[in-house]
Amino acid sequence: MRKRIVAGNWKMNMNYKEANNLFEALSKIKISNSTNVIIAPPSIYLSSFKNNNDKIFLSSQNVSNHNNGAYTGEISAEMLSSLDINYCIVGHSERRSYYSENDKLISKKIDALLNYDISPIYCCGELKLDRESQNHQQVVKSQIEEALFHLSKSQIKSVIIAYEPVWAIGTGLTASSEDAQNMHFFIRSLISEKYDSETAQSISILYGGSCKPNNAKELFSQPDIDGGLIGGAALNHKDFSDIIFSF
Ligand code: PEP
């Protein structure tokens, strides 16, 4: 059975005291055995959070594509690994649009992470225009092919995919559970064609884009939706806990 995952992307929010208080409160939640929770705080906090909940894992929000050297301000996969960080978000639409990251660069970041046994949480998703022109599947297909399809079968099994329609991120608009399920099924079919069905069935595919306590249950009940990548609602203890309990 695939792992159910709820991941919270805190982005560039909260000072240390606020962030640590939220993390400590979340650590006390009783999380079911079949669910993993991943928290991606600002990276400056990663080393100081005391994690004593074995269902909660820490993630970085970004990583350098370089291994080490003169890259001011960057953080390497080796550095994350030395802090026992197990996950890292890559390909988020904010990095694609504000920092011009493309799938060629993202594929290098994925390689850097896998070299250190860190699971990439790979974000993909179409713009509003792509959906309106019925081009959404083609856009996601090319993102998946460019960023992931150079990986071996055992490597891709370490990747978590987050389907995040860009028009739904932070907007209050959510994909209908039917549209989200269709895209998750499509992504799984692409992986099955390229690798095999067993590989496709083993990969967790999360939905992201204005996922809230009032829509999580319906989204998570779809057969190919294995949980969510949560932005805004991850900053609120009650909202995030309610989403964790939505399976
Ligand atoms: C995100 O930024 O990945 C995200 C899903 O944000 P939100 O939940 O706020 O739409």
Side-chain angles (χ1 to χ4, degrees):
M1 204 178 114
R2 290 190 293 275
K3 268 271 170 232
R4 298 151 148 193
I5 296 168
V6 178
N9 176 9
W10 290 1
K11 309 190 186 184
M12 198 173 72
N13 289 299
M14 293 187 286
N15 65 33
Y16 179 67
K17 195 166 176 232
E18 293 162 339
N20 196 45
N21 284 346
L22 178 56
F23 188 75
E24 282 186 356
L26 292 171
S27 302
K28 294 186 184 119
I29 297 180
K30 183 109 190 59
I31 301 164
S32 108
N33 262 344
S34 53
T35 306
N36 279 351
V37 171
I38 300 173
I39 310 278
S43 55
I44 192 170
Y45 304 151
L46 281 170
S47 59
S48 50
F49 281 177
K50 302 268 170 293
N51 186 12
N52 45 28
N53 186 326
D54 65 358
K55 306 305 298 167
I56 296 185
F57 298 85
L58 283 168
S59 170
S60 175
Q61 297 177 16
N62 190 21
V63 70
S64 172
N65 54 309
H66 298 288
N67 286 331
N68 63 284
Y71 300 101
T72 301
E74 291 289 277
I75 295 169
S76 72
E78 184 182 4
M79 293 170 190
L80 295 174
S81 166
S82 68
L83 294 177
D84 292 327
I85 303 303
N86 308 95
Y87 298 94
C88 178
I89 297 171
V90 283
H92 192 279
S93 73
E94 286 149 21
R95 300 238 30 116
R96 291 178 191 261
S97 63
Y98 303 147
Y99 303 97
S100 307
E101 293 195 5
N102 58 28
D103 281 300
K104 192 160 183 252
L105 175 76
I106 294 162
S107 73
K108 292 192 182 132
K109 293 185 174 205
I110 289 172
D111 293 343
L113 291 168
L114 290 172
N115 271 340
Y116 285 92
D117 292 326
I118 299 169
S119 288
I121 303 172
Y122 172 66
C123 304
C124 57
E126 81 283 356
L127 303 173
K128 192 163 191 274
L129 229 124
D130 303 318
R131 170 97 16 201
E132 285 168 350
S133 57
Q134 296 297 309
N135 212 21
H136 47 291
Q137 287 195 338
Q138 192 46 48
V139 168
V140 170
K141 180 174 190 249
S142 86
Q143 290 174 333
I144 298 265
E145 285 175 349
E146 283 179 42
L148 300 181
F149 278 6
H150 66 291
L151 299 176
S152 70
K153 201 188 287 187
S154 71
Q155 284 178 316
I156 199 166
K157 283 182 176 176
S158 302
V159 176
I160 294 168
I161 296 173
Y163 167 59
E164 301 206 298
V166 179
W167 49 269
I169 297 179
T171 59
L173 301 171
T174 318
S176 69
S177 52
E178 190 187 351
D179 284 347
Q181 162 60 23
N182 286 344
M183 183 61 90
H184 284 228
F185 177 79
F186 174 69
I187 293 170
R188 211 179 292 289
S189 310
L190 292 174
I191 297 165
S192 182
E193 278 161 34
K194 168 78 180 171
Y195 297 88
D196 55 37
S197 157
E198 189 261 321
T199 304
Q201 288 304 326
S202 72
I203 292 178
S204 293
I205 307 178
L206 314 183
Y207 170 79
S210 300
C211 184
K212 309 281 180 201
N214 64 1
N215 57 27
K217 208 178 184 71
E218 195 186 333
L219 286 160
F220 295 176
S221 68
Q222 302 302 309
D224 287 289
I225 299 183
D226 304 310
L229 176 53
I230 318 298
L235 299 173
N236 178 288
H237 176 262
K238 173 148 180 19
D239 286 352
F240 194 59
S241 319
D242 284 350
I243 294 173
I244 293 170
F245 297 133
S246 292
F247 287 105

